[in-house]
Structures are given as structure tokens and as C-alpha cells.
Amino acid sequence: TFELSSIANVEILIYTIGGKKIKHIKSKSYPQGFNSIGWNGKNEFGRTLANGVYIYKIIAKNTSNKISHIGRCAIFK
């Protein structure tokens, strides 16, 4: 879930703690306000990820700005 102050294209990259990119959620346009992106917990090859902590990078860009945020997410089954 994220909030945008204006319309922007948003993409998310997910990495292991070691820095290996395991998932790229492609860029899509989202409206101003609160939005959410669903993810099934699988990597680029369709395999379910193991329990643990992962790093995400969310990138939002429009014609005048590009902003990114790095955070952590956890998978527990």
C-alpha cells in the first residue's frame, strides 16, 4: 500500500537480503491517493519464496518527479 500526491507510474523491485533481484512488478499508472499492489509471493520463475525478510524498492515517476523508497517485507506461511 502506498500514497501518491499525483498520478504516477509505479514499479516495485524485490530483492533477497543479499541483494539478488527476485521479482520485478512492472510499471503501471496509479491515481493520486492511496493505492495497493497485490503480489502472490512468487519470484520471476513462478516459484513460491521461502519464509523470511526481503527488501523492496518502490519507484514512482511522472513527468516532473521520480521518487523511490526502500523498505522491508516479510513472508510467513
Side-chain angles (χ1 to χ4, degrees):
T1 302
F2 55 94
E3 183 180 13
L4 297 172
S5 58
S6 63
I7 296 171
N9 287 321
V10 175
E11 67 181 309
I12 298 177
L13 303 164
I14 301 173
Y15 301 88
T16 64
I17 291 293
K20 180 180 176 185
K21 183 171 74 170
I22 55 173
K23 181 70 177 175
H24 179 204
I25 299 172
K26 306 285 188 223
S27 181
K28 181 179 168 186
S29 181
Y30 288 89
Q32 177 180 348
F34 285 97
N35 296 276
S36 64
I37 294 176
W39 173 45
N40 60 6
K42 295 184 179 185
N43 67 14
E44 289 293 314
F45 304 105
R47 296 188 185 110
T48 302
L49 298 177
N51 287 348
V53 177
Y54 296 87
I55 305 297
Y56 69 86
K57 181 177 184 180
I58 184 169
I59 303 165
K61 51 186 161 178
N62 60 22
T63 55
S64 59
N65 289 313
K66 178 181 177 182
I67 298 173
S68 63
H69 173 77
I70 296 173
R72 293 176 294 192
C73 61
I75 295 179
F76 295 103
K77 299 178 221 166

